[in-house]
Amino acid sequence: MNKIKIPNELKKMNEIFAQNGFEAYLVGGAVRDVLLGKTADDWDVTTNAKPDQVMKIFKRVIPTGIEHGTVTVHFMQQEIEVTTFRTESDYSDGRHPDKVEYAGHIEEDLSRRDFTMNAIAASLEDGHIVDPYHGAEDLKKGIIRTVGIPHERFMEDGLRPVRALRFASKLQFSIEKDTYSEIFNPEVQKKIASISVERFRDELMKMMASPKPSVGLKLMEETGVLKLFMDELSACRNCLQKDDRGYHIFDVMDHNIYACDGAPKNKPLLRLAALLHDSGKPASRTERHEDGMTIFNFYNHEKYSVEITRKLMTRLKFSNAEIDYVCHLIENHMFHYESTWSDAAVRRFIVKVGLDSFDDLIDLRLADMYGKYNADVRLHDSAGCAKLVELTDRVKELSQKDCALSLKDLKVNGRDLIAEGIPAGKKLGQILNELFQTVLEDPGMNDREKLINLARNLAK
């Protein structure tokens, strides 16, 4: 393929560049995705116009990375990152070049890029492909290969080896032999370890959104990258679960990794919860022998898993809300529903896990089941899911009824009780909670007069 189709917005942008004597190219992931037959989500443009010149010929420009030759152009309701042709040298911080020089030709600009598949440009004028490193050929073969010598590329930026692993997961590509072996180089390992935790975290979460995170995660473990940033998971390898009851066939590490695959692709944080949900099993593992059987138990492993997850996610600088969400799912993933549960018991369960979290908790349970055998599990066609289906139906039915599932659903509030002469303070909170528990047991009690009468009695 010598040409690709250029979107109309970019053709219009090119007209402005051309009218002012400049050339411009589409580069990076957008070109790669188009060559793979996918829709490009983001457009990155490179040009021989310098940043100050770009700012003069376009009306709305933000200098987002002007020190590195990059600005963001608002054009035809699009935000397009525009970078001047450049070469780079010396990366003393392992990320940013110490020296950036503007280049005269697109080929020079492409020479600084990480992988051949990302070193392809397409002219905004006619879509003509510029591919000096045969990236299109590597795309056809499904190969990730560095531009030039792997050691040099990786020593420039320690994130590049991690990106190689993430791309392998995202694209289901293999990493070229010399490129892959270089990740094991001690000097490269040291460079990888020097990257910020935020940069690793971002790559990890992009991996969580890939078709099969297990591909990248296994490569991360094999190359030692996982140990550098998520060493807590190391204890999961060779922690056996398969006993004479036949509940599992994988050790804890593989179970977690495959569970990650089994969680929905559009919920990367849920996938992270799946990866970490049994991380506490090594610390809680016990072994006993009964009736000639060897039995492994992991009592309260979810509590250990929450401790590990909170520590790990805090170190990787996830937000408090993200940490709380993942830990909440892990803490509650071991629920045991029985058909004998009363409606009140189901309501208490909803209150405990939160109605907003219920669907994600079911998805985590399905992912857990997937991870047992690395096999797909669908809620409505698996015999093992019958109780989950029943619980889901009951939660849906009860949530649609006029019943209180939180304090705010009560027909009275603290101000009402204070008006009845009950003083504000700890006692008031206890009474409100008692009213709520009463309504959980008997929704018919959620009546203003009944609750006030009950509150008066409780206050005596």
Side-chain angles (χ1 to χ4, degrees), residues 58-167:
F58 290 97
K59 294 179 180 179
R60 300 178 61 203
V61 183
I62 299 174
T64 46
I66 198 165
E67 69 275 13
H68 298 112
T70 302
V71 296
T72 299
V73 178
H74 291 258
F75 185 77
M76 293 184 70
Q77 300 182 327
Q78 301 288 336
E79 290 188 0
I80 303 170
E81 194 171 273
V82 177
T83 302
T84 303
F85 296 163
R86 70 190 193 196
T87 59
E88 302 168 352
S89 60
D90 299 331
Y91 292 72
S92 59
D93 69 352
R95 177 182 182 184
H96 297 112
D98 296 335
K99 188 177 182 181
V100 174
E101 294 183 350
Y102 296 132
H105 304 284
I106 182 62
E107 288 82 2
E108 290 180 83
D109 181 88
L110 296 177
S111 70
R112 69 178 175 83
R113 297 180 181 269
D114 51 6
F115 306 112
T116 59
M117 64 181 183
N118 295 332
I120 311 170
S123 169
L124 294 193
E125 181 179 5
D126 58 6
H128 177 74
I129 293 293
V130 180
D131 183 14
Y133 301 99
H134 310 292
E137 183 178 340
D138 282 343
L139 280 175
K140 287 181 181 178
K141 294 179 179 178
I143 293 175
I144 299 167
R145 185 196 313 269
T146 58
V147 172
I149 300 172
H151 185 75
E152 293 179 358
R153 292 287 82 79
F154 289 162
M155 291 302 291
E156 288 170 349
D157 185 350
L159 190 69
R160 285 176 174 170
V162 184
R163 279 169 56 82
L165 305 180
R166 193 255 296 176
F167 279 125

Side-chain angles (χ1 to χ4, degrees), residues 238-273:
N238 298 321
C239 179
L240 300 181
Q241 301 182 97
K242 183 180 180 180
D243 59 19
D244 292 331
R245 295 171 299 178
Y247 288 165
H248 285 271
I249 63 174
F250 301 115
D251 68 2
V252 176
M253 177 67 93
D254 280 339
H255 168 65
N256 285 339
I257 287 175
Y258 292 134
C260 191
D261 282 351
K265 178 183 175 182
N266 64 340
K267 296 180 179 180
L269 272 178
L270 177 57
R271 278 186 157 179
L272 182 62

Side-chain angles (χ1 to χ4, degrees), residues 131-262:
D131 183 14
Y133 301 99
H134 310 292
E137 183 178 340
D138 282 343
L139 280 175
K140 287 181 181 178
K141 294 179 179 178
I143 293 175
I144 299 167
R145 185 196 313 269
T146 58
V147 172
I149 300 172
H151 185 75
E152 293 179 358
R153 292 287 82 79
F154 289 162
M155 291 302 291
E156 288 170 349
D157 185 350
L159 190 69
R160 285 176 174 170
V162 184
R163 279 169 56 82
L165 305 180
R166 193 255 296 176
F167 279 125
S169 188
K170 176 183 178 179
L171 302 174
Q172 305 292 288
F173 279 14
S174 61
I175 303 175
E176 183 268 333
K177 177 174 62 69
D178 291 339
T179 300
Y180 187 63
S181 63
E182 190 58 36
I183 300 176
F184 293 84
N185 185 308
E187 288 184 339
V188 173
Q189 288 277 312
K190 186 176 180 180
K191 183 65 71 173
I192 296 170
S194 72
I195 67 175
S196 71
V197 292
E198 293 94 337
R199 297 182 81 203
F200 172 81
R201 177 201 65 208
D202 292 346
E203 288 299 314
L204 174 68
M205 294 314 292
K206 289 176 182 177
M207 187 179 290
M208 292 297 104
S210 65
K212 293 193 72 172
S214 60
V215 174
L217 291 167
K218 283 179 174 290
L219 291 175
M220 284 176 64
E221 183 187 12
E222 185 174 302
T223 57
V225 172
L226 198 68
K227 187 175 181 62
L228 290 175
F229 294 94
M230 303 176 74
D231 189 35
E232 292 89 342
L233 289 175
S234 297
C236 296
R237 177 58 72 205
N238 298 321
C239 179
L240 300 181
Q241 301 182 97
K242 183 180 180 180
D243 59 19
D244 292 331
R245 295 171 299 178
Y247 288 165
H248 285 271
I249 63 174
F250 301 115
D251 68 2
V252 176
M253 177 67 93
D254 280 339
H255 168 65
N256 285 339
I257 287 175
Y258 292 134
C260 191
D261 282 351

Side-chain angles (χ1 to χ4, degrees), residues 9 16 56 80 150 196 225 228 237 264 329 377 415 435:
E9 295 92 333
I16 297 175
K56 286 179 181 178
I80 303 170
S196 71
V225 172
L228 290 175
R237 177 58 72 205
L329 292 179
V377 177
R415 291 189 298 274
L435 297 181

